[in-house]
Amino acid sequence: MQREEGSERGVLGLEQLQLAMEDARAHGEKIVFTNGCFDILHAGHVTYLEQARAQGDRLIVAVNDDASVSRLKGPGRPINSVDRRMAVLAGLGAVDWVVSFAEDTPENLLEQLKPDVLVKGGDYGIEGVVGASIVKAYGGEVRVLGLVENSSTTAIVEKIRSR
């Protein structure tokens, strides 16, 4: 399918992303949103992002900026800068758009973007998903995908540090 101008893939600013989403919606595409730190991309991330993309036609990955990763994960994190993390994510076939955010949660982004589906991976219920109430309030869907076993960036970092 030929893409219209404005629906380019990759790392986008908020305004560019909003334009790309408008174009996608005009073509009847369902937009999926997920978020995270994605500090050291591993097989678990790739599997999860492929599963997230399968929930719709387009996938937005919102990435915590460096300051918010430090607040959430502690000193010494992130290992990779936000620009590098976003570049790697943008290179994955499952990912359409990558955007960063400075807050600890993506709630402001969710309110502005209003994706059709909010997806998180993990072993908790939908009520535990940050932003679920925002998405449900405008009629969007919230889905929790399974946790990919034996894949954790924190575990990888600890393994490297212990050597």
Side-chain angles (χ1 to χ4, degrees):
M1 180 174 174
Q2 187 66 31
R3 284 275 150 237
E4 298 294 318
E5 203 53 44
S7 64
E8 64 275 357
R9 294 173 40 106
V11 176
L12 302 178
L14 184 59
E15 286 180 23
Q16 290 174 298
L17 177 55
Q18 288 169 319
L19 289 171
M21 289 176 70
E22 275 179 39
D23 183 62
R25 285 202 167 113
H27 289 84
E29 294 177 329
K30 183 188 272 191
I31 299 170
V32 180
F33 178 103
T34 194
N35 65 282
C37 298
F38 300 100
D39 192 6
I40 297 175
L41 203 67
H42 52 68
H45 288 134
V46 174
T47 300
Y48 166 71
L49 292 169
E50 288 170 347
Q51 291 170 353
R53 176 63 159 68
Q55 308 302 307
D57 302 301
R58 296 297 200 122
L59 177 61
I60 299 168
V61 180
V63 181
N64 292 77
D65 75 2
D66 294 344
S68 67
V69 173
S70 292
R71 288 191 302 272
L72 295 167
K73 302 288 186 179
R77 299 283 300 274
I79 303 294
N80 291 298
S81 70
V82 68
D83 292 341
R84 288 180 176 212
R85 290 182 280 129
M86 291 195 315
V88 171
L89 286 162
L92 297 177
V95 177
D96 291 288
W97 303 309
V98 184
V99 64
S100 70
F101 63 100
E103 302 86 3
D104 290 351
T105 73
E107 290 171 315
N108 287 336
L109 263 184
L110 289 168
E111 287 173 354
Q112 292 178 70
L113 298 176
K114 295 183 172 46
D116 301 303
V117 185
L118 168 61
V119 174
K120 284 298 282 185
D123 51 0
Y124 45 83
I126 286 173
E127 299 346 330
V129 175
V130 172
S133 59
I134 293 167
V135 175
K136 286 181 175 178
Y138 62 74
E141 298 174 67
V142 179
R143 299 182 187 158
V144 177
L145 303 181
L147 197 61
V148 178
E149 293 300 316
N150 300 320
S151 55
S152 155
T153 299
T154 300
I156 292 168
V157 170
E158 290 308 313
K159 186 175 182 179
I160 292 167
R161 286 184 174 152
S162 69
R163 291 186 175 195

